[in-house]
C-alpha cells in the first residue's frame, strides 16, 4: 500500500517531469522568437523567420548559474572563473544567444519558467533573483566574450521570466533596467546602460480568463492551457502561426498527457497539504516512539489530543 510520503513523492516527480516538458516547449525556436519579438526592443521590428534564423541552439537546464560553471567556454589560454565554495547548484532553465539587426549584435539571453511572483511563496523577492542571474551572465563573459580590460566587447544580457500566477486582469510584461540620473552638473550620455535588462511576463492562472490583448501572453497561455492536444495544436497553428513540427508535436503530446493530473487548480494546494500531513504524522510517530505521552505530543506538535490519537491509531500504535 502506498504511504502518504510515497504518493507525495510520485506527484512531485510527475510535477518535475511536467516542468521539464514546459522548458522543452519554451525552448522551441518558434516560441523563443515570439518571446524576443514581443519583449525586447532589439527584435520588435524583425520578422519571426529572421529571428529564428539568428537564434543559437538553446541549452535547457544544463548551465549552472554559479561562478565557475556559467562560462563553460573560454578564450584559448585564459583561466576560467574561480568557483565560489558553499553555493548550491542552480541551473538556468533555458539559455541561448541571439543576434540582432544587420550588425548581428550578440545578446545573451536566459529564460526562466517560474510558477509565482509572490514573495511569501518564493521566500524571496523575484527581482533580487533576476538581478543575481543578470550579474552572473555579465561576469561569466570574462575570458569568454572579452579578455583583460577589453570591456567594450561585453555583450548585452537579457533574463526573461515567465510567471504563471497572475489574476484575471493582471497579465502584464514588465522590464527592469538601468536608469541614468544626473545628481549634479551637466548630463553625460552613457550609451551602454541598456546592456542589462530583466523581463517579467505574467500569465493568468485562470484558464477560463478572457484571451489576453497582448499577442505573446495570449499565445503562451494557450500553449500552457490544460486542453486536448489536438485542440491546442489547431489553435497554436491557426491563431498564432506556429508550424507543427515533429518535435513540437511530441513535446505538446508529452505535456498534455501529464496536464490532466498536474494542471488541476487544486494540485498545488493538494501537494502542499500532502507534504504537511506526512511531516505531521512523522513527527507524532517519532515522538510517541521516543516515549513522549500523548498530551505532550499534542502540545509540541500544536495538534489536538484527538488528532494525535487518530494518527497513532492509523499507524497501529494504539488501539
Amino acid at each position: 500500500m502506498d504511504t502518504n510520503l510515497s504518493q507525495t513523492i510520485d506527484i512531485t516527480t510527475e510535477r518535475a517531469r511536467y516542468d521539464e516538458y514546459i522548458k522543452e516547449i519554451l525552448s522551441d525556436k518558434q516560441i523563443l522568437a515570439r518571446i524576443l519579438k514581443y519583449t525586447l526592443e532589439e527584435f520588435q521590428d524583425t520578422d519571426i523567420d529572421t529571428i529564428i534564423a539568428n537564434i543559437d541552439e538553446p541549452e535547457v537546464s544544463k548551465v549552472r548559474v554559479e561562478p565557475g560553471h556559467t562560462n563553460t567556454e573560454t578564450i584559448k589560454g585564459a583561466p576560467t572563473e574561480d568557483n565560489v565554495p558553499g553555493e548550491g547548484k542552480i541551473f538556468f532553465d533555458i539559455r541561448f544567444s541571439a543576434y540582432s539587426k544587420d550588425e548581428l549584435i550578440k545578446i545573451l539571453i536566459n529564460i526562466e519558467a517560474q510558477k509565482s511572483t509572490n514573495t511569501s511563496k518564493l521566500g524571496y523577492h523575484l527581482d533580487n533573483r533576476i538581478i543575481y542571474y543578470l550579474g552572473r551572465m555579465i561576469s561569466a563573459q570574462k575570458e569568454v566574450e572579452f579578455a583583460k580590460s577589453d570591456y567594450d566587447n561585453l555583450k548585452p544580457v537579457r533574463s526573461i521570466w515567465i510567471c504563471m500566477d497572475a489574476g484575471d486582469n493582471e497579465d502584464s510584461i514588465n522590464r527592469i533596467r538601468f536608469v541614468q540620473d544626473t545628481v549634479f552638473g551637466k548630463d553625460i550620455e552613457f550609451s551602454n546602460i541598456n546592456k542589462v535588462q530583466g523581463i517579467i511576463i505574467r500569465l493568468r492562472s485562470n484558464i477560463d480568463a478572457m484571451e489576453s490583448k497582448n499577442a505573446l501572453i495570449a499565445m503562451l497561455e494557450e500553449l500552457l492551457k490544460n486542453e486536448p492536444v489536438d485542440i491546442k495544436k489547431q489553435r497554436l497553428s491557426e491563431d498564432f502561426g506556429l508550424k507543427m513540427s515533429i518535435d513540437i508535436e511530441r513535446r505538446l503530446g508529452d505535456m498534455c498527457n501529464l496536464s490532466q493530473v498536474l494542471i488541476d487548480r487544486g494540485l498545488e494546494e493538494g501537494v502542499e497539504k500532502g507534504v504537511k500531513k506526512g511531516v505531521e504524522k512523522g513527527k507524532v510517530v517519532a515522538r510517541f516512539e521516543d516515549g513522549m505521552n500523548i498530551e505532550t505530543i499534542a502540545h509540541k506538535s500544536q495538534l489536538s489530543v484527538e488528532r494525535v490519537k487518530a494518527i497513532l491509531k492509523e499507524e497501529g500504535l494504539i488501539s
Side-chain angles (χ1 to χ4, degrees), residues 62-79:
K62 293 180 180 179
V63 182
R64 280 172 54 181
V65 180
E66 298 88 354
H69 296 278
T70 38
N71 57 343
T72 53
E73 299 176 6
T74 61
I75 295 174
K76 189 174 182 179

Side-chain angles (χ1 to χ4, degrees), residues 10-252:
D10 288 343
I11 293 173
T12 304
T13 301
E14 293 298 295
R15 177 79 238 185
R17 284 178 57 204
Y18 183 79
D19 288 346
E20 288 303 312
Y21 291 148
I22 288 179
K23 294 174 192 176
E24 290 289 341
I25 288 173
L26 290 176
S27 70
D28 187 279
K29 289 186 179 182
Q30 293 188 78
I31 308 298
L32 295 179
R34 286 163 171 81
I35 292 173
L36 300 189
K37 183 174 180 65
Y38 293 106
T39 61
L40 301 183
E41 294 170 335
E42 295 90 346
F43 296 95
Q44 64 183 6
D45 296 325
T46 308
D47 65 86
I48 293 296
D49 289 339
T50 301
I51 298 175
I52 290 173
N54 287 319
I55 294 177
D56 289 341
E57 199 61 34
E59 297 172 290
V60 181
S61 297
K62 293 180 180 179
V63 182
R64 280 172 54 181
V65 180
E66 298 88 354
H69 296 278
T70 38
N71 57 343
T72 53
E73 299 176 6
T74 61
I75 295 174
K76 189 174 182 179
T80 61
E81 286 184 282
D82 292 333
N83 193 14
V84 175
E87 292 191 0
K89 295 181 180 179
I90 306 173
F91 290 82
F92 289 117
D93 278 0
I94 304 167
R95 194 179 84 154
F96 64 101
S97 298
Y99 297 82
S100 171
K101 301 179 182 177
D102 296 336
E103 300 176 23
L104 293 183
I105 301 171
K106 188 172 186 178
I107 300 175
L108 303 176
I109 300 164
N110 90 284
I111 292 182
E112 300 290 323
Q114 181 83 11
K115 287 189 282 292
S116 181
T117 57
N118 189 301
T119 301
S120 62
K121 288 184 179 180
L122 295 174
Y124 56 83
H125 289 83
L126 182 60
D127 49 332
N128 282 333
R129 186 176 178 185
I130 294 173
I131 290 167
Y132 174 70
Y133 276 48
L134 287 166
R136 288 300 311 127
M137 294 166 71
I138 285 288
S139 64
Q141 293 184 47
K142 188 77 161 74
E143 313 303 347
V144 177
E145 301 295 342
F146 69 94
K148 297 182 179 179
S149 298
D150 192 12
Y151 293 107
D152 279 349
N153 279 328
L154 187 72
K155 303 300 186 292
V157 296
R158 305 287 184 261
S159 188
I160 302 173
W161 293 68
I162 300 171
C163 303
M164 310 173 194
D165 66 336
D168 287 3
N169 298 312
E170 294 177 344
D171 51 322
S172 63
I173 300 175
N174 289 274
R175 179 180 291 114
I176 301 170
R177 58 182 170 184
F178 291 146
V179 175
Q180 177 186 341
D181 288 322
T182 300
V183 178
F184 170 78
K186 186 178 180 179
D187 291 344
I188 299 175
E189 181 180 351
F190 294 103
S191 58
N192 293 293
I193 61 173
N194 277 337
K195 282 186 181 289
V196 179
Q197 292 184 22
I199 305 290
I200 301 173
I201 305 169
R202 296 192 68 201
L203 310 183
R204 278 88 52 89
S205 56
N206 180 10
I207 62 173
D208 296 321
M210 294 287 290
E211 183 173 297
S212 175
K213 296 179 182 178
N214 179 272
L216 174 62
I217 291 175
M219 183 204 71
L220 291 174
E221 289 183 340
E222 175 61 37
L223 187 70
L224 302 176
K225 184 184 294 185
N226 181 23
E227 63 184 357
V229 66
D230 289 341
I231 295 175
K232 186 182 296 292
K233 288 192 296 186
Q234 182 177 357
R235 286 216 60 202
L236 289 171
S237 176
E238 294 180 359
D239 296 351
F240 301 102
L242 267 67
K243 299 174 183 176
M244 289 295 116
S245 66
I246 294 175
D247 279 345
I248 199 168
E249 286 195 8
R250 173 184 59 78
R251 291 167 179 170
L252 285 173

